Amino acid sequence: MLTTVLQAQQAFDFVPAPAQVQYPDGGASHFVFDKNVRIVGGDDFNVRYLREHLARVFNPLGDSWAGDPTRSIEFVRVKSFPEEGYSLEVTPSRILVTASTRAGEFYAIQTLLQMLPPQVYRRAEGPDAMLLRQWEVPCVEIVDQPRFSWRGSMFDVSRTFFDKAYILRHLDWLAYHKINKFHWHLTDDNGWRVEIKKYPKLTQVGAWRGRNEALDPAYNSGEERFGGFYTQEDIREIVAYAADRNIEIIPEIDLPGHSKALAVSYPEILCRHNEELLSVQGETRNVICVGRENTYKMLDNIIKEIAQLFPSKYIHIGVEEVVTESWKYCPDCQELMKEKGYTEERQLLGYFGERMEKILAKYGKKVEAWEDVVEAKTISRDNLVLVWHDQKVLQKALDAGYPAVTQNCYYLYMDMKYTPAERGHTWASIIDVEKVYSFDPLQGLDLSGDKQKLVRGLQGGLWTELLFYPPHFSEYQLFPRMCAVAEVGWTPQELRNYADFDARLARTHFERMWNMGIRFRIPAPDVDAQGNVRCPYPNMVIRYTFDGTEPTVSSPVVTGRIVTDHPENLRFATFYADVKSITVEVPGTRTYLKPAVKVSSSMETVKRQPVENLALYEKSKSMRTANPPKEGDYVLFTFEEPVSCRTITVQTNDPVNNFFGITQGFVEVLYEGDSQFTPSDRFNMLNRVVLRPDRPVKAVKIVITGSCEGKAVSIQPLIIE
Ligand code: TNX
């Protein structure tokens, strides 16, 4: 028998913060939620969605929500309300939701869910699920509407494939944050992910990566074949699922560059030449021919199927980072240039945009394209530009009269590192949550005339070259940065305040996300040289080990001062339930041995990173091969004097530059007094072997047994302790 009446908080921790929130009597009176509350009116799906979430918390389950006429949730439609806007009024006898659309109603429900215990988000109750009898919601009046109409998330499923179940969960997470656009980056160099009935090879060939596949493996994917695609049936299901949650899915077919997956499936789409030109990402032969009519026939057929699958107004056709030089060597492209009087290959980008606009129009669609399409101004002004560089580029799009959305890489790229010690790219910058939050899509712009209206909004973008490993890393990269994107897109600029946002995350929103099943990123503890540790949030704990191993959920919690003669072996991580930060140590306590060593290798290296680098023991100086390694290749480290040490870490990838390491190979050790090498471990997922020698070591040898994931590998200096 449950007797405790749980107290709700006085002020709600909404994310994103609504435009107006008032507590008429300071939260003194309440609406009591229990199994007897009645639901009146409302869109069918919305009501089902609400009931389904309520049933995760309130006992008993079932349809008893028809109940008490004196306490109800009522949905009313009033035409004058803005698109996606709503009001939500909580009084002791009823919760009144007013909106003009089912979208507004849906967002009122999202706000309402944030007034309830975070368990409303839990995915399935376990056998020991605790259901509540009642919950008190303080009386409140909310009037709300979004600042921008485009609040999006771009997800690259080409580089790393994410299956249907995961996409559906991702859509749920976005909806909980009032995000309304899902830009689905379905094709790129590393995978074609949408079934096209007329061209089955796109997914038979172009959807698979691996050592023996048409497309190379991914960073950290090892040797296994991996990939996949969405059938047209999957797509329809996903599109409908999103639409129910007020999310429009915009498909991207990335053309005419970034097209390796298309080109390996149907090589006839390439230009007629054999030049191996490198794209920014180091791909070759990934630019399609824009001079031949057959290209447009094929694209027309593809777009026809895409247009039938996606009800969105726009289809994104790519147009970025195209190696236009490829067209220089192509007789067909050159002939077209002559005919058009073009002097530069880049002009063909404009031609391509124009042709695609016409094809899309046949199927009732408008073009969305990356910023490169602005230069030629060939597509009409009712198409949409997606900017990924800074505000200057956005300004150019606006000045040219194009409506635009920004995915500014310096603030909104979710594949960048949060801090230097974490995984991710760095080329655009290091992007912590505060940096995302600090962004305003209107900052630094000249908005004279009607230009402000052209800024449709923003989206976070998650590129997935580095996301194959570890599990849940996509969630780590997205959250809580996407929470910040959501608030930038929704909340009036004058109400935004990072400290307040961060406090809302800490008090309540982490717990919501945990219940949503998101394995989000939490900051590592601060550890100073004296061993003082500070936990980043009061409702998290720091766990530690003293043997140099990774802390786990069952490691002890730091409660006081730790006294040890071996501070170099201490490791700390922040935990929120089973969500874990990266591991940190006490700075300056580890001592590295740098015994004189001669290093040789069977592998040719690039000039700037020769094998001799490895004798310097400098973190920033590694060896990089010129080619993929092959069976029988080796790197041999021979010490001048036998080395006595506790561990030798043989690290082969380059964690700073995310460069490939050895996946097929092992390490062997020559001990003092022995005449033969003793085999040790094979390289693990982190391209690493850790040796714990019990005798002095004369030599260490990396033995290669097969190829690697990339086109070459890097090898780091030995770490000897
Ligand atoms: C740039 S942004 C790209 C992507 C990469 C990303 C990595 C854009 C249009 N192109 O192809 O995945 O950088 O951060």
mmCIF file of all heavy atoms in Angstrom, residues 159 188-189 254-258 278-281 286-287 318-324 346 349 370 372 388-389 413 427 463 465:
data_model
loop_
_atom_site.group_PDB
_atom_site.id
_atom_site.type_symbol
_atom_site.label_atom_id
_atom_site.label_comp_id
_atom_site.label_asym_id
_atom_site.label_seq_id
_atom_site.Cartn_x
_atom_site.Cartn_y
_atom_site.Cartn_z
ATOM 1 N N ARG A 159 28.300 6.985 -43.258
ATOM 2 C CA ARG A 159 29.613 6.566 -42.754
ATOM 3 C C ARG A 159 29.447 5.438 -41.743
ATOM 4 O O ARG A 159 30.178 4.460 -41.738
ATOM 5 C CB ARG A 159 30.335 7.745 -42.111
ATOM 6 C CG ARG A 159 31.105 8.630 -43.074
ATOM 7 C CD ARG A 159 30.241 9.279 -44.144
ATOM 8 N NE ARG A 159 30.986 10.209 -44.967
ATOM 9 C CZ ARG A 159 31.076 11.524 -44.730
ATOM 10 N NH1 ARG A 159 30.417 12.055 -43.718
ATOM 11 N NH2 ARG A 159 31.789 12.295 -45.512
ATOM 12 N N ASP A 188 26.459 8.913 -49.073
ATOM 13 C CA ASP A 188 27.745 9.611 -49.066
ATOM 14 C C ASP A 188 28.753 8.633 -49.652
ATOM 15 O O ASP A 188 28.365 7.593 -50.198
ATOM 16 C CB ASP A 188 28.118 10.047 -47.635
ATOM 17 C CG ASP A 188 29.017 11.285 -47.625
ATOM 18 O OD1 ASP A 188 30.092 11.233 -48.250
ATOM 19 O OD2 ASP A 188 28.663 12.289 -46.986
ATOM 20 N N ASP A 189 30.030 8.936 -49.512
ATOM 21 C CA ASP A 189 31.045 8.053 -50.073
ATOM 22 C C ASP A 189 31.017 6.656 -49.466
ATOM 23 O O ASP A 189 31.435 5.700 -50.095
ATOM 24 C CB ASP A 189 32.437 8.650 -49.819
ATOM 25 C CG ASP A 189 32.626 9.949 -50.579
ATOM 26 O OD1 ASP A 189 32.148 10.027 -51.730
ATOM 27 O OD2 ASP A 189 33.224 10.883 -50.022
ATOM 28 N N ASP A 254 23.411 12.829 -51.500
ATOM 29 C CA ASP A 254 24.552 13.741 -51.635
ATOM 30 C C ASP A 254 25.196 13.581 -53.019
ATOM 31 O O ASP A 254 25.775 12.542 -53.327
ATOM 32 C CB ASP A 254 25.561 13.461 -50.510
ATOM 33 C CG ASP A 254 26.493 14.646 -50.260
ATOM 34 O OD1 ASP A 254 26.518 15.577 -51.086
ATOM 35 O OD2 ASP A 254 27.199 14.635 -49.225
ATOM 36 N N LEU A 255 25.098 14.632 -53.839
ATOM 37 C CA LEU A 255 25.553 14.642 -55.228
ATOM 38 C C LEU A 255 26.234 15.982 -55.491
ATOM 39 O O LEU A 255 26.018 16.909 -54.720
ATOM 40 C CB LEU A 255 24.340 14.528 -56.175
ATOM 41 C CG LEU A 255 23.440 13.292 -56.007
ATOM 42 C CD1 LEU A 255 22.100 13.539 -56.700
ATOM 43 C CD2 LEU A 255 24.119 12.063 -56.606
ATOM 44 N N PRO A 256 26.940 16.198 -56.533
ATOM 45 C CA PRO A 256 27.542 15.230 -57.444
ATOM 46 C C PRO A 256 28.897 14.722 -56.930
ATOM 47 O O PRO A 256 29.482 13.844 -57.528
ATOM 48 C CB PRO A 256 27.724 16.049 -58.729
ATOM 49 C CG PRO A 256 27.930 17.463 -58.242
ATOM 50 C CD PRO A 256 27.166 17.591 -56.967
ATOM 51 N N GLY A 257 29.368 15.292 -55.780
ATOM 52 C CA GLY A 257 30.543 14.725 -55.105
ATOM 53 C C GLY A 257 30.039 13.784 -54.021
ATOM 54 O O GLY A 257 28.849 13.462 -53.973
ATOM 55 N N HIS A 258 30.937 13.372 -53.121
ATOM 56 C CA HIS A 258 30.529 12.478 -52.027
ATOM 57 C C HIS A 258 29.708 11.300 -52.553
ATOM 58 O O HIS A 258 28.780 10.852 -51.894
ATOM 59 C CB HIS A 258 29.719 13.260 -50.980
ATOM 60 C CG HIS A 258 30.586 14.100 -50.071
ATOM 61 N ND1 HIS A 258 31.073 13.643 -48.875
ATOM 62 C CD2 HIS A 258 31.050 15.357 -50.204
ATOM 63 C CE1 HIS A 258 31.807 14.598 -48.300
ATOM 64 N NE2 HIS A 258 31.812 15.647 -49.093
ATOM 65 N N LEU A 278 41.913 13.289 -55.163
ATOM 66 C CA LEU A 278 41.528 13.077 -53.767
ATOM 67 C C LEU A 278 40.479 14.087 -53.304
ATOM 68 O O LEU A 278 40.636 15.288 -53.491
ATOM 69 C CB LEU A 278 42.745 13.239 -52.864
ATOM 70 C CG LEU A 278 43.733 12.090 -52.756
ATOM 71 C CD1 LEU A 278 44.740 12.392 -51.651
ATOM 72 C CD2 LEU A 278 43.010 10.775 -52.454
ATOM 73 N N SER A 279 39.429 13.610 -52.651
ATOM 74 C CA SER A 279 38.454 14.521 -52.035
ATOM 75 C C SER A 279 38.973 14.940 -50.658
ATOM 76 O O SER A 279 39.979 14.405 -50.181
ATOM 77 C CB SER A 279 37.104 13.832 -51.887
ATOM 78 O OG SER A 279 37.141 12.934 -50.803
ATOM 79 N N VAL A 280 38.286 15.883 -50.032
ATOM 80 C CA VAL A 280 38.703 16.345 -48.698
ATOM 81 C C VAL A 280 38.860 15.170 -47.733
ATOM 82 O O VAL A 280 39.764 15.138 -46.908
ATOM 83 C CB VAL A 280 37.663 17.329 -48.101
ATOM 84 C CG1 VAL A 280 38.148 17.893 -46.775
ATOM 85 C CG2 VAL A 280 37.367 18.442 -49.076
ATOM 86 N N GLN A 281 37.969 14.202 -47.853
ATOM 87 C CA GLN A 281 38.025 13.052 -46.940
ATOM 88 C C GLN A 281 38.952 11.953 -47.443
ATOM 89 O O GLN A 281 38.956 10.847 -46.908
ATOM 90 C CB GLN A 281 36.627 12.474 -46.714
ATOM 91 C CG GLN A 281 35.784 13.251 -45.715
ATOM 92 C CD GLN A 281 35.085 14.448 -46.341
ATOM 93 O OE1 GLN A 281 35.011 14.586 -47.554
ATOM 94 N NE2 GLN A 281 34.574 15.332 -45.497
ATOM 95 N N ASN A 286 34.873 9.792 -56.678
ATOM 96 C CA ASN A 286 33.586 9.952 -55.991
ATOM 97 C C ASN A 286 32.756 11.101 -56.579
ATOM 98 O O ASN A 286 31.809 11.565 -55.956
ATOM 99 C CB ASN A 286 33.794 10.147 -54.484
ATOM 100 C CG ASN A 286 34.309 11.536 -54.133
ATOM 101 O OD1 ASN A 286 34.785 12.268 -54.998
ATOM 102 N ND2 ASN A 286 34.201 11.894 -52.871
ATOM 103 N N VAL A 287 33.145 11.569 -57.766
ATOM 104 C CA VAL A 287 32.401 12.668 -58.401
ATOM 105 C C VAL A 287 31.721 12.120 -59.655
ATOM 106 O O VAL A 287 32.381 11.519 -60.502
ATOM 107 C CB VAL A 287 33.354 13.812 -58.806
ATOM 108 C CG1 VAL A 287 32.567 14.962 -59.428
ATOM 109 C CG2 VAL A 287 34.136 14.293 -57.591
ATOM 110 N N GLY A 318 22.678 17.687 -51.784
ATOM 111 C CA GLY A 318 24.123 17.766 -51.506
ATOM 112 C C GLY A 318 24.733 19.040 -52.061
ATOM 113 O O GLY A 318 24.376 20.131 -51.665
ATOM 114 N N VAL A 319 25.678 18.890 -52.975
ATOM 115 C CA VAL A 319 26.452 19.987 -53.562
ATOM 116 C C VAL A 319 27.418 20.586 -52.534
ATOM 117 O O VAL A 319 27.245 21.727 -52.085
ATOM 118 C CB VAL A 319 25.575 21.107 -54.192
ATOM 119 C CG1 VAL A 319 26.463 22.051 -55.022
ATOM 120 C CG2 VAL A 319 24.472 20.539 -55.064
ATOM 121 N N GLU A 320 28.401 19.815 -52.129
ATOM 122 C CA GLU A 320 29.450 20.373 -51.282
ATOM 123 C C GLU A 320 30.734 19.586 -51.463
ATOM 124 O O GLU A 320 30.713 18.404 -51.782
ATOM 125 C CB GLU A 320 29.011 20.421 -49.807
ATOM 126 C CG GLU A 320 29.524 19.323 -48.907
ATOM 127 C CD GLU A 320 28.748 18.034 -49.037
ATOM 128 O OE1 GLU A 320 28.034 17.861 -50.040
ATOM 129 O OE2 GLU A 320 28.874 17.186 -48.145
ATOM 130 N N GLU A 321 31.831 20.269 -51.255
ATOM 131 C CA GLU A 321 33.154 19.639 -51.313
ATOM 132 C C GLU A 321 33.312 18.774 -52.563
ATOM 133 O O GLU A 321 33.847 17.676 -52.500
ATOM 134 C CB GLU A 321 33.384 18.773 -50.067
ATOM 135 C CG GLU A 321 33.395 19.553 -48.768
ATOM 136 C CD GLU A 321 33.606 18.658 -47.539
ATOM 137 O OE1 GLU A 321 33.167 17.495 -47.546
ATOM 138 O OE2 GLU A 321 34.202 19.146 -46.579
ATOM 139 N N VAL A 322 32.838 19.286 -53.692
ATOM 140 C CA VAL A 322 32.936 18.513 -54.929
ATOM 141 C C VAL A 322 34.323 18.743 -55.546
ATOM 142 O O VAL A 322 34.756 19.888 -55.678
ATOM 143 C CB VAL A 322 31.847 18.949 -55.935
ATOM 144 C CG1 VAL A 322 31.911 18.073 -57.184
ATOM 145 C CG2 VAL A 322 30.465 18.888 -55.280
ATOM 146 N N VAL A 323 35.000 17.679 -55.892
ATOM 147 C CA VAL A 323 36.296 17.807 -56.556
ATOM 148 C C VAL A 323 36.004 18.124 -58.031
ATOM 149 O O VAL A 323 35.962 17.249 -58.895
ATOM 150 C CB VAL A 323 37.121 16.508 -56.422
ATOM 151 C CG1 VAL A 323 38.526 16.703 -56.996
ATOM 152 C CG2 VAL A 323 37.201 16.079 -54.971
ATOM 153 N N THR A 324 35.759 19.407 -58.293
ATOM 154 C CA THR A 324 35.315 19.797 -59.647
ATOM 155 C C THR A 324 36.413 19.581 -60.684
ATOM 156 O O THR A 324 36.146 19.522 -61.875
ATOM 157 C CB THR A 324 34.865 21.280 -59.665
ATOM 158 O OG1 THR A 324 35.934 22.079 -59.154
ATOM 159 C CG2 THR A 324 33.631 21.494 -58.808
ATOM 160 N N ARG A 346 33.961 24.853 -61.856
ATOM 161 C CA ARG A 346 33.011 25.151 -60.772
ATOM 162 C C ARG A 346 31.640 25.584 -61.292
ATOM 163 O O ARG A 346 30.631 25.399 -60.633
ATOM 164 C CB ARG A 346 33.557 26.278 -59.884
ATOM 165 C CG ARG A 346 34.602 25.853 -58.900
ATOM 166 C CD ARG A 346 34.861 26.967 -57.883
ATOM 167 N NE ARG A 346 33.704 27.207 -57.012
ATOM 168 C CZ ARG A 346 33.345 26.413 -56.018
ATOM 169 N NH1 ARG A 346 34.034 25.328 -55.755
ATOM 170 N NH2 ARG A 346 32.300 26.707 -55.271
ATOM 171 N N LEU A 349 28.727 23.318 -61.278
ATOM 172 C CA LEU A 349 27.913 23.108 -60.068
ATOM 173 C C LEU A 349 26.566 23.807 -60.229
ATOM 174 O O LEU A 349 25.521 23.279 -59.836
ATOM 175 C CB LEU A 349 28.619 23.661 -58.827
ATOM 176 C CG LEU A 349 29.806 22.900 -58.253
ATOM 177 C CD1 LEU A 349 30.395 23.675 -57.081
ATOM 178 C CD2 LEU A 349 29.389 21.500 -57.809
ATOM 179 N N TRP A 370 23.604 22.326 -49.978
ATOM 180 C CA TRP A 370 24.632 22.980 -49.171
ATOM 181 C C TRP A 370 25.016 24.315 -49.817
ATOM 182 O O TRP A 370 24.731 24.567 -50.989
ATOM 183 C CB TRP A 370 25.869 22.087 -49.026
ATOM 184 C CG TRP A 370 25.617 20.818 -48.264
ATOM 185 C CD1 TRP A 370 25.501 19.561 -48.779
ATOM 186 C CD2 TRP A 370 25.450 20.670 -46.848
ATOM 187 N NE1 TRP A 370 25.276 18.641 -47.782
ATOM 188 C CE2 TRP A 370 25.241 19.295 -46.587
ATOM 189 C CE3 TRP A 370 25.452 21.567 -45.771
ATOM 190 C CZ2 TRP A 370 25.040 18.796 -45.294
ATOM 191 C CZ3 TRP A 370 25.262 21.059 -44.493
ATOM 192 C CH2 TRP A 370 25.055 19.701 -44.260
ATOM 193 N N ASP A 372 27.395 25.688 -51.279
ATOM 194 C CA ASP A 372 28.123 25.865 -52.539
ATOM 195 C C ASP A 372 27.202 26.225 -53.696
ATOM 196 O O ASP A 372 27.646 26.698 -54.735
ATOM 197 C CB ASP A 372 28.897 24.585 -52.907
ATOM 198 C CG ASP A 372 30.026 24.310 -51.936
ATOM 199 O OD1 ASP A 372 29.849 24.612 -50.739
ATOM 200 O OD2 ASP A 372 31.076 23.790 -52.365
ATOM 201 N N TRP A 388 26.944 25.575 -43.843
ATOM 202 C CA TRP A 388 27.704 24.837 -42.814
ATOM 203 C C TRP A 388 28.965 25.565 -42.388
ATOM 204 O O TRP A 388 29.622 25.156 -41.451
ATOM 205 C CB TRP A 388 27.983 23.409 -43.247
ATOM 206 C CG TRP A 388 28.816 23.198 -44.462
ATOM 207 C CD1 TRP A 388 28.397 23.305 -45.753
ATOM 208 C CD2 TRP A 388 30.196 22.807 -44.519
ATOM 209 N NE1 TRP A 388 29.431 23.003 -46.608
ATOM 210 C CE2 TRP A 388 30.543 22.692 -45.885
ATOM 211 C CE3 TRP A 388 31.160 22.532 -43.545
ATOM 212 C CZ2 TRP A 388 31.823 22.329 -46.311
ATOM 213 C CZ3 TRP A 388 32.430 22.166 -43.964
ATOM 214 C CH2 TRP A 388 32.762 22.069 -45.333
ATOM 215 N N HIS A 389 29.307 26.662 -43.090
ATOM 216 C CA HIS A 389 30.395 27.496 -42.575
ATOM 217 C C HIS A 389 29.807 28.618 -41.720
ATOM 218 O O HIS A 389 28.701 28.499 -41.215
ATOM 219 C CB HIS A 389 31.262 28.004 -43.724
ATOM 220 C CG HIS A 389 32.262 26.972 -44.165
ATOM 221 N ND1 HIS A 389 32.137 26.271 -45.333
ATOM 222 C CD2 HIS A 389 33.381 26.515 -43.550
ATOM 223 C CE1 HIS A 389 33.153 25.410 -45.435
ATOM 224 N NE2 HIS A 389 33.919 25.542 -44.370
ATOM 225 N N TYR A 413 28.472 21.381 -34.954
ATOM 226 C CA TYR A 413 28.932 20.075 -35.427
ATOM 227 C C TYR A 413 29.121 19.142 -34.239
ATOM 228 O O TYR A 413 30.036 19.302 -33.434
ATOM 229 C CB TYR A 413 30.228 20.217 -36.229
ATOM 230 C CG TYR A 413 29.959 20.342 -37.713
ATOM 231 C CD1 TYR A 413 28.777 20.926 -38.157
ATOM 232 C CD2 TYR A 413 30.851 19.857 -38.660
ATOM 233 C CE1 TYR A 413 28.502 21.031 -39.515
ATOM 234 C CE2 TYR A 413 30.581 19.963 -40.023
ATOM 235 C CZ TYR A 413 29.410 20.548 -40.431
ATOM 236 O OH TYR A 413 29.140 20.641 -41.767
ATOM 237 N N TRP A 427 38.703 19.684 -36.339
ATOM 238 C CA TRP A 427 39.027 20.656 -37.393
ATOM 239 C C TRP A 427 38.152 21.901 -37.347
ATOM 240 O O TRP A 427 38.616 22.983 -37.691
ATOM 241 C CB TRP A 427 38.993 20.001 -38.782
ATOM 242 C CG TRP A 427 37.625 19.567 -39.217
ATOM 243 C CD1 TRP A 427 37.092 18.317 -39.109
ATOM 244 C CD2 TRP A 427 36.607 20.382 -39.805
ATOM 245 N NE1 TRP A 427 35.804 18.303 -39.582
ATOM 246 C CE2 TRP A 427 35.480 19.558 -40.022
ATOM 247 C CE3 TRP A 427 36.526 21.725 -40.164
ATOM 248 C CZ2 TRP A 427 34.296 20.034 -40.578
ATOM 249 C CZ3 TRP A 427 35.339 22.193 -40.716
ATOM 250 C CH2 TRP A 427 34.245 21.355 -40.921
ATOM 251 N N TRP A 463 28.049 13.995 -38.048
ATOM 252 C CA TRP A 463 28.751 13.212 -39.058
ATOM 253 C C TRP A 463 29.347 12.006 -38.356
ATOM 254 O O TRP A 463 29.755 12.100 -37.188
ATOM 255 C CB TRP A 463 29.848 14.050 -39.716
ATOM 256 C CG TRP A 463 29.324 15.287 -40.362
ATOM 257 C CD1 TRP A 463 29.367 16.550 -39.860
ATOM 258 C CD2 TRP A 463 28.649 15.383 -41.614
ATOM 259 N NE1 TRP A 463 28.764 17.419 -40.737
ATOM 260 C CE2 TRP A 463 28.314 16.731 -41.824
ATOM 261 C CE3 TRP A 463 28.286 14.446 -42.607
ATOM 262 C CZ2 TRP A 463 27.653 17.185 -42.969
ATOM 263 C CZ3 TRP A 463 27.635 14.899 -43.733
ATOM 264 C CH2 TRP A 463 27.324 16.252 -43.906
ATOM 265 N N GLU A 465 31.917 9.544 -39.353
ATOM 266 C CA GLU A 465 33.154 8.842 -39.725
ATOM 267 C C GLU A 465 33.777 8.135 -38.524
ATOM 268 O O GLU A 465 34.396 7.091 -38.660
ATOM 269 C CB GLU A 465 34.224 9.825 -40.235
ATOM 270 C CG GLU A 465 33.964 10.423 -41.574
ATOM 271 C CD GLU A 465 33.346 11.800 -41.449
ATOM 272 O OE1 GLU A 465 32.527 12.004 -40.529
ATOM 273 O OE2 GLU A 465 33.661 12.667 -42.265
#
